[in-house]
Amino acid sequence: METRFTPLLATNYAPSKAEVDEIRKLLVDPVNQLNQFDTEINHLHRVLNELTSKRNQLHAQIISHKNLIAPLRRIPQELLQEIFIHCLPTDHNAAMSCHEPPLLLGRVCSRWRSVALSTPRLWSGIHIVIGSIPSQEGLESVDQIPDVHAAVEEWLGRSGGLPLSISLFQAPYTITNQEYVDNLISTLVQFSSRWRNMSLLLSSQPPSLLFSLSHQTFPLLERFSFHGVTADSPSPFPELAPLDIFRAPRIKSTSSHHLGTLPKNMGWSQLTFLSLESCGYGEGRLTPSKAIEILHESPGLIHCEFNFISGWNSPSSIDHEIVTMPSLVTLAIFEGTISLKPFFEHLRLPVLASLEFAATPRRHPHPDDPEEPSICTLLSRIDSLKELTLSSLNLTHTTLVNCLQRASSITRLSVLNPQPADSWPFFIATLSPFTDDVVSLLTPTEDQPPMCPLLRVLECNPCNASDTALLTLIKQRSTYASKYDIQPLERVDLEFHRQRSMDIRSKLPPKALVETAITLKYRTPPDVPRISLRAGLERPGRLQIPSNTYRHLHR
C-alpha cells in the first residue's frame, strides 16, 4: 500500500497531531482487509487439518494391508531362525543387553519374539558382567539388576540341550559381594554338563564350589579359561592346579595364569591351545624349565602363549632334552627379566608359521654387547616362519636387523607397541627401531635385491621412517618384482607420531596403487606447554588439598 507517508517509514520522522489522525484513517481499510485474510486462512487451516486426518487414516489402512502381503511374513520359521542365528556375534558370546541380539530380536514384534524364544541356538552363548562402579548419583552396579541370577538361569534354560559357551567378567577395582559371585557360579554349575566353552575372569576369590567338582561334571568341556586380577595383590588366588576341571575328558584349550604346580593326570596330550602367564614369585611363576616340561607333555599343541612376566630364582640352564613340537603353528612369547635363550635352545619347531615376541626393555642389550638377544636365537631355529610380530619398545636397530636377516621367509612383518597408543608419551616414537635404515634394507635397487623378498604385509606403530623412504619402498617393491622374483606389498599399515611431509599416494604409479592397500595415520604431537614468566613466584604457604579431593572426602 502506497501513501504519501511511505518515504518516511524508515526514518526518525515524528508526525504532527494532524498527520497522526490522517494515518489512522488511512489504516482503517487495510486493517479490515487483513482481518478478512486471517479469517480465510483459519478456514483453510481447518479444511487442511480435516483432509490431513482423513489422509493419515487412509494411509494407515493401506500400510496395514500392505503389511499382510509383505514377503517377510511368508518367510518360513526355519529360515527366520537361521537369519537370527547369523545376527549373533562371531568373535564373542552374546551380551545380556536389550540393544544387541538375541534380546534385541525379541523387541521387534510378537512373531519375532516367539521365534527368538523358540530358537535354542540363540541362547547357547552368554557373556555376564558383574561389578559395581561409583557414579555421581551413588553406586551403580550391574550385579544389582533385579533377579540377575534368575535372568541367567532363564537365558540358559532357553538353550534346550545344546552345548553352552559362557564368559563371566568381574570388573577389576570394583565392589562385588563374594557371596553374590558364589551364588552366580552356583547357577552356572547347574548347567555344567553342557559347558563347551567357559571363560572366567574374576577380581574376587574363586568360589570354593569349583574346587569340589569332579572332572566328570564337564563331559563336553573343550575350552576353559580362568584368570584373576585384584587391586591389592598381583597373586591373590590360590593355585588352580587342584581344579579337577583341567582333567575334563574333551578339553582342548586352556588359558590361565594361576596354575601353580602342574595339574596331575591332566590331558596335556589332547591340548591344541595353551596360554599360561607367570604369576608372582611362588609356585605360580612360570619358569623356562616348567614351560619345557609342559611342551614335552603337549605334543599336539597348535597355538601356544607363554608370558614370563615374573622373575624366578631358578638357574637359567634347563636340564631337559630338546622338545619337538610337530604341530605348533603359532607361538606368542613375552620375555620377562631373565633371558629365554636356554629355553629357545631346547625347542624344535618344524612347522611354526607365526611368532609374536615382546620383552621388557632391559632384556635387550646395548648394540656393543656381544650377547645375542634371545629372539635371534629362536629365529635361527625356525625355517618355516611366515608371520613375525615384534614389540617396538623392546628392540634396538641392530636387533631388528638381525631378526629380519634370520626371518627372510616372512610374508608379514608387524613392529608394534604392545600398549595402547594413548598410554605412552609421544617421545617414545623416536625410539622406534623402524627407521629409514631398516626401510632401505627392505627396498630393492637396480643392483641389490631386498631383505625379506616374500614380504606382502607391513605393519608398524609407531613408525620412525620418513615418507620419502616409504614411498621408495612401495614403489621399488612393485617395480623390481619380476627382476628379483619378489612380491609387491599387498598392504601397508603405518602410524606416525609426526606431521605428514608428503602425500605418498599421489606420488605412486597406478600399478603400485592397485597392488598395495595403504593406511597411513599421522598423530600430531601435543604442543609443548609454555612456562609462565611468573613461574616460581607464587608459592603456597601451606599444604593445600585440591577442591575436588576435599569434596570426595566429605561425601
Side-chain angles (χ1 to χ4, degrees):
M1 133 184 130
E2 290 289 336
T3 68
R4 74 182 188 85
F5 297 100
T6 300
L8 303 175
L9 294 179
T11 67
N12 293 327
Y13 177 75
S16 62
K17 184 178 182 304
E19 289 175 330
V20 169
D21 294 338
E22 182 179 355
I23 293 173
R24 287 174 175 170
K25 291 180 180 179
L26 288 174
L27 293 178
V28 172
D29 290 339
V31 168
N32 292 334
Q33 188 178 10
L34 178 63
N35 292 334
Q36 292 177 0
F37 287 157
D38 289 339
T39 300
E40 186 174 354
I41 289 174
N42 291 334
H43 171 70
L44 293 176
H45 275 308
R46 288 193 297 270
V47 173
L48 179 61
N49 290 337
E50 292 176 1
L51 292 176
T52 300
S53 177
K54 293 179 181 180
R55 184 264 179 199
N56 291 340
Q57 293 177 7
L58 182 60
H59 180 261
Q61 291 293 327
I62 294 174
I63 293 299
S64 298
H65 284 75
K66 283 186 175 181
N67 288 340
L68 289 175
I69 60 176
L72 187 61
R73 286 178 177 263
R74 300 193 297 274
I75 294 180
Q77 177 170 325
E78 296 78 9
L79 181 56
L80 192 59
Q81 288 177 319
E82 193 67 25
I83 294 174
F84 285 0
I85 292 171
H86 280 77
C87 292
L88 293 175
T90 57
D91 57 345
H92 58 80
N93 294 329
M96 299 178 66
S97 170
C98 60
H99 303 293
E100 300 179 23
L103 292 180
L104 178 62
L105 300 173
R107 296 165 60 91
V108 176
C109 63
S110 59
R111 184 191 179 217
W112 279 31
R113 177 175 175 79
S114 175
V115 172
L117 294 178
S118 61
T119 307
R121 285 182 61 185
L122 292 178
W123 312 97
S124 61
I126 184 173
H127 177 66
I128 309 166
V129 180
I130 57 177
S132 304
I133 57 175
S135 69
Q136 293 181 353
E137 291 76 17
L139 194 66
E140 292 180 345
S141 172
V142 292
D143 61 24
Q144 292 176 353
I145 299 175
D147 299 328
V148 64
H149 299 83
V152 171
E153 188 172 359
E154 182 179 358
W155 180 301
L156 297 179
R158 297 171 183 171
S159 62
L162 294 178
L164 300 175
S165 179
I166 303 172
S167 52
L168 173 62
F169 175 75
Q170 182 180 8
Y173 309 103
T174 61
I175 305 170
T176 307
N177 186 282
Q178 182 66 42
E179 182 181 359
Y180 176 87
V181 178
D182 294 345
N183 293 337
L184 185 55
I185 293 295
S186 299
T187 301
L188 298 177
V189 168
Q190 297 177 20
F191 303 89
S192 60
S193 62
R194 293 196 285 125
W195 287 6
R196 172 178 287 174
N197 305 321
M198 170 57 73
S199 175
L200 300 174
L201 201 162
L202 302 179
S203 57
S204 60
Q205 291 293 322
S208 58
L209 175 62
L210 290 177
F211 291 87
S212 64
L213 298 175
S214 167
H215 66 278
Q216 298 176 351
T217 312
F218 315 97
L220 302 181
L221 186 64
E222 296 180 358
R223 298 179 181 179
F224 180 64
S225 174
F226 201 141
H227 293 266
V229 292
T230 62
D232 54 357
S233 174
S235 180
F237 277 32
E239 287 188 16
L240 298 183
L243 281 174
D244 210 37
I245 191 173
F246 289 109
R247 297 176 54 204
R250 300 180 60 178
I251 193 165
K252 298 180 181 179
S253 172
T254 296
S255 176
S256 175
H257 64 221
H258 292 287
L259 275 180
T261 56
L262 299 183
K264 297 180 179 180
N265 302 322
M266 178 176 174
W268 294 100
S269 59
Q270 65 192 39
L271 290 181
T272 59
F273 179 99
L274 178 63
S275 176
L276 296 179
E277 180 178 336
S278 184
C279 181
Y281 290 84
E283 289 297 330
R285 71 188 190 276
L286 179 65
T287 66
S289 297
K290 184 182 292 187
I292 285 292
E293 182 181 350
I294 291 173
L295 293 178
H296 177 73
E297 299 291 334
S298 311
L301 285 179
I302 298 175
H303 180 99
C304 181
E305 299 176 3
F306 283 147
N307 191 331
F308 298 91
I309 191 171
S310 298
W312 56 86
N313 299 321
S314 59
S316 59
S317 60
I318 299 177
D319 185 16
H320 200 286
E321 61 185 7
I322 294 178
V323 175
T324 300
M325 304 300 296
S327 304
L328 190 63
V329 176
T330 303
L331 177 63
I333 296 289
F334 187 95
E335 185 180 61
T337 56
I338 305 297
S339 173
L340 293 178
K341 186 175 181 179
F343 171 69
F344 294 148
E345 291 174 342
H346 282 73
L347 291 180
R348 184 178 291 118
L349 309 171
V351 297
L352 189 70
S354 177
L355 173 64
E356 299 180 20
F357 181 84
T360 54
R362 54 183 166 180
R363 274 305 318 143
H364 289 282
H366 189 273
D368 297 332
D369 194 326
E371 178 187 356
E372 180 182 63
S374 58
I375 178 61
C376 296
T377 301
L378 176 59
L379 291 173
S380 299
R381 305 176 63 84
I382 304 174
D383 299 324
S384 55
L385 195 64
K386 300 300 180 184
E387 299 181 358
L388 177 62
T389 300
L390 300 171
S391 167
S392 63
L393 285 184
N394 308 321
L395 294 175
T396 64
H397 172 270
T398 302
T399 301
L400 178 56
V401 172
N402 289 338
C403 289
L404 296 180
Q405 290 174 343
R406 290 165 171 79
S408 59
S409 63
I410 60 173
T411 60
R412 177 173 181 165
L413 173 63
S414 301
V415 184
L416 307 174
N417 190 292
Q419 299 176 350
D422 294 334
S423 65
W424 41 278
F426 276 85
F427 75 86
I428 291 182
T430 62
L431 304 179
S432 171
F434 200 81
T435 61
D436 285 1
D437 293 338
V438 175
V439 172
S440 65
L441 295 176
L442 300 173
T443 304
T445 63
E446 184 66 30
D447 305 321
Q448 184 71 32
M451 192 181 292
C452 303
L454 303 180
L455 188 65
R456 305 297 298 269
V457 178
L458 176 62
E459 299 175 326
C460 185
N461 178 21
C463 179
N464 205 22
S466 65
D467 290 341
T468 302
L470 294 169
L471 172 63
T472 304
L473 169 67
I474 300 173
K475 184 187 299 184
Q476 299 291 76
R477 298 280 299 202
S478 175
T479 301
Y480 291 104
S482 58
K483 179 176 180 178
Y484 294 117
D485 193 22
I486 63 176
Q487 299 293 335
L489 294 174
E490 286 184 356
R491 182 166 65 85
V492 175
D493 191 346
L494 308 174
E495 182 166 329
F496 307 86
H497 288 225
R498 58 171 175 81
Q499 294 182 344
R500 185 177 69 175
S501 61
M502 72 165 61
D503 186 358
I504 293 179
R505 292 184 184 84
S506 65
K507 297 183 179 298
L508 284 173
K511 181 173 179 290
L513 283 173
V514 173
E515 294 173 339
T516 308
I518 304 174
T519 301
L520 305 176
K521 298 179 181 178
Y522 296 85
R523 302 180 66 221
T524 305
D527 295 332
V528 178
R530 296 182 178 181
I531 300 177
S532 171
L533 295 178
R534 296 183 56 82
L537 296 179
E538 299 176 359
R539 297 183 180 180
R542 58 183 178 86
L543 180 63
Q544 296 180 352
I545 300 178
S547 58
N548 57 342
T549 304
Y550 185 84
R551 289 195 301 269
H552 174 74
L553 294 174
H554 289 77
R555 282 183 176 179

